[in-house]
Amino acid sequence: MATRDERTLGVESPDGLRVCASALRLPVCGGGDAAAQELRDFPRSRDPQRLGPRRFRAPGAPRHHGNPPPTPQSAGGPLQTPPLPRSASASRHHGNPRATGRLHGLGARRDPAPPALPLRPSPWQPLPGGDAGAEADGGAGGRTRERRGLSGGPGSRGQWRPAARGGRQRGPGLGADGSGRPTRPRRPERPCCCPAGGCAPHGAPPASSESGDDDSDYPKVALSIRQALELQNVDWQVASNRREHHTGQFSTREVILRRGQGFSVIMSFNRTLDSEEGLNLTAETGPNPSASAKTKATFPVSRGRNTGGGWAAEVRENNGNSLTVAISSPASAPIGWYTMSLQISSKGRVSSVKLGTFALLFNPWLQADDVFMSNEAERQEYVEEDSGNIFVGSANRIGMIGWNFGQYEEDILSISLAILDKSLNFRRDPATDVARRNDPKYVGRVLSAMINGNDDNGVVAGNWSGSYRGGVDPRTWNGSVEILKEWKKSGFRPVRFGQCWVFAGTLNTVLRCFGIPSRVITNFNSAHDTDRNLSVDVYYDPQGNPLDKGSDSVWNFHVWNEAWFVRTDLGPSYNGWQVLDATPQERSQGVFQCGPASVIAVREGDVDRNFDMPFIYAEVNADRITWIYTASNDSKKQNFVDTRSVGKYISTKAVGSRSRMDITDKYKYPEGSSDERRVQEKALSKLKPNVSFGPTSAHHLPGEEQAPSISGRFKVTGVLAVGQEVNLALLLKNLTSDRKTVTVNMTAWTIVYNGTLVHEVWKDSATISLDPEEELQHPVKITYAQYDKYLKADNMIRTTAICKVSHEAEVVVERDIILDNPTLTLEVLDRARVRKPVNVHMLFSNPLDEPVRNCVLMVEGSGLLRGSLKIEVPALRPKERSRVRFEILPTRSGTKQLLADFSCNKFPAIKAMLSIDVDE
């Protein structure tokens, strides 16, 4: 056992020599720390190869039994070892008169040092140029040990084992110097005092002597064997990488990168990297990554610049133990979560360590990427803007609501990527689905199916019935963030309920989150053609009631998305904006999905191109055919063909402002122009419509009766507001020089914006006489009591008049009116600053002559609130005004949009939005 006056101390000299203090037998009482410091100051000029594995006595140390010290020649050259310090207490025995290693004066009795224990396999690099042969120490009985393979070749790990016969030995009666002078037999081996189990650190082999000195005479110097290269830390440079990759706005600390663009990682190791050692990186994504599917790549960390287009890494800075590595991904890499690992090849051994995970997104800033958008202002609007406007209403009364896209909000990126993992395509073939995520058109098509919940437990369940029990009235949503979070919270079950602008707003959030430029589009008088004949059929009965007959319809407005990317499947002439429609209307390839369809192809009538071109073309170009259906004899008669009303005022938010931008000319040529009719005929010829009893194209109908002798239209004569009487006038005009008698049947129905009938609220009949070329107004009054109970959040009423002159075809007059909600006002009371509370007031006045109850205010805004704010507002008496004060906490600077929805028993969804400039 080691005595108390010995300490275990490993010190490393500037020459790289690691000296074990237990080999030097430094006493505890004085000299130990000083000796260690002196050994650190060992002259750097000494050549470790010249030292070899020999041992040397420190100057001033006593000789024992006449053994001579090593000569410069036997030591391989001049060497001056620093003197070992002594102290007054160095001669203490500490209770053991035969303790080894006591540095006393001359003549002090000492025991020989115990032999070193066999060493464990070590990752240390053997000293270059070492003896590759057997080197033995002979003890009592002539046992030998040898060290082989010290040249550092394959399999050399500094291991010790018995020597073969004939190896160099030292036994009793034979000095190591060959003088024949006897040497003292060794004492039996004792356990070593070092914590590692041997005096040599980490299993490094001890030094041996060729000078013939007794092992106990002189301090032992153990040469260090180089450690295996190990990674100690990795710095992903999150802030700088995200800033350069335009992902700094994401409210997460995760590494978020864009494909095709380099990023830097700093790797810290336990030592410097040798020239023969190698580093390789592996990046992989998906459940079954493979190189063939391009979902896994292994690539070296090179010391030169890489010029290829695939995954690559190069050392940019080498600061000793720290390497700054620049890594780049291909511009066609699949998007999603990636895992990166490092493989270290060192001395024939390969070890692997995980570096971390990161998200890889599309890169609209990179020309090589399929989603590249060159205009900086458009990139700012269509990728980075996290709020916007959606246009709603009707062609006669265009309105606007705000929408919080919130693509940078917490957890939205992970939820968006989870949408892909929940898709039918992923569940059927995960490996193929992940591999195809490099293609924006594939990702867009999958998202158009997954945003609706019809087939695959997607995000939102649609509802156009007017009854929303068990869910949320679609009009009450202010944005996508709460919808996506609710979808995740519910265990990925569809959120109830949504309609077209909800689907479009949510899809827009995910597209921008992924880096695909996108915008929300509104098409007024949007056709829903179910039989691919480019026409929609609308039915009325002779009493003026609209009929829910047939599957075609015309929506007051319909909202979809456009995404910007190239069409490698169609050719460069179809690059640019592509239609994606997540509203579940018709199945495509067995699934409720729609698009992408090139906007250019829509304008040119190329309905035979992918994807879903006939349906999208009809939405903006279909002819509207009106039919009069008589139930008594089950007959129908064509009334009118309208080639101009479908596809009006196609709108989107303007770049950099809240104003409306009309893009109708991007979808179609001017109505009635020769180009417009030419394109229509081209589309019809490609589709080869099926002529049958069902809905039929207007271009294949027999001739109808003569043109009508009268015309009619509805005119608004009063204020259109919820709670007030609706005042209209039916204007009839005699187009001939003969007197006409007109029989008029009129109705009014509350409806949903897509034409779904809710309830009849008014009807009237009249017989009107018109003198030649006379124009006459017939008043229409619908009281609040008549429509109150049946008005939906759309606030829409459809009025219809069937005007019949004897022996002539009926004239159908129709108008959808929208009633205004009372005003909801938001006011900011303080100057907005980041991380400073801001007070906001909400003002609302009850316009009714009755109280309103169940009042709730919902507020949200990206960069202004974390999540949403729900405030219960007390009931309001008739004509009472309410003022609600609440607080927001901005988290990001810039112009942000605050959105509010006020609902009560009489007003399902009153909207307000306010732009707030936030300073740092």
Side-chain angles (χ1 to χ4, degrees), residues 36 64 91 391 480 527 545 625 643 683 774 806 808 828:
H64 187 50
S91 62
F391 296 94
S480 313
N545 291 300
I625 306 175
T643 62
E774 179 185 8
S806 181
E808 293 184 11
V828 177

Side-chain angles (χ1 to χ4, degrees), residues 650-667:
I650 304 176
S651 307
T652 191
K653 176 185 175 297
V655 175
S657 75
R658 301 292 177 188
S659 60
R660 184 182 74 89
M661 180 170 66
D662 194 297
I663 57 171
T664 308
D665 62 327
K666 304 298 182 183
Y667 280 83

Side-chain angles (χ1 to χ4, degrees), residues 188 196 201 216 238 269 278 284 340 429 442 458 480 510 556 701 771 825 863:
S216 62
V238 177
F269 298 89
E284 55 189 13
M340 181 164 284
D429 188 350
Y442 175 80
S480 313
V510 179
N556 277 277
L701 292 172
D771 290 332
T825 303

Side-chain angles (χ1 to χ4, degrees), residues 7-11 21 24 26-41 84-85 87:
R7 74 164 51 176
T8 298
L9 173 67
V11 294
L24 295 174
L26 297 176
V28 173
C29 302
D33 294 336
Q37 180 60 46
E38 288 188 300
L39 284 171
R40 293 189 188 97
D41 298 333
L84 295 177
S87 67

Side-chain angles (χ1 to χ4, degrees), residues 17 33 74 199 226 392 461 523 599 757 769 818 858 883:
L17 298 178
D33 294 336
S74 66
C199 292
R226 198 161 176 80
V392 296
N523 177 40
V599 173
L757 302 174
S769 296
I818 302 174
M858 296 292 297
R883 179 187 293 268

Side-chain angles (χ1 to χ4, degrees), residues 64 162 176 194 364 371 434 457 474 528 575 658 674 679 775 780 790 801 887:
H64 187 50
C194 293
V371 301
V434 172
N457 286 328
H528 182 173
N575 291 348
R658 301 292 177 188
S674 59
V679 169
E775 185 174 37
V780 174
Y790 307 107
E887 191 177 82

Side-chain angles (χ1 to χ4, degrees), residues 235-239 241-242 247 252-258 263-265 336-338 355-361 413:
D235 182 356
W236 281 86
Q237 301 286 284
V238 177
N241 282 329
R242 286 177 48 162
T247 60
T252 176
R253 296 181 179 179
E254 294 167 316
V255 182
I256 306 173
L257 307 169
R258 298 194 184 276
F263 59 97
S264 297
V265 174
W337 291 113
Y338 278 76
L355 299 183
T357 60
F358 60 94
L360 193 65
L361 307 178
L413 174 59

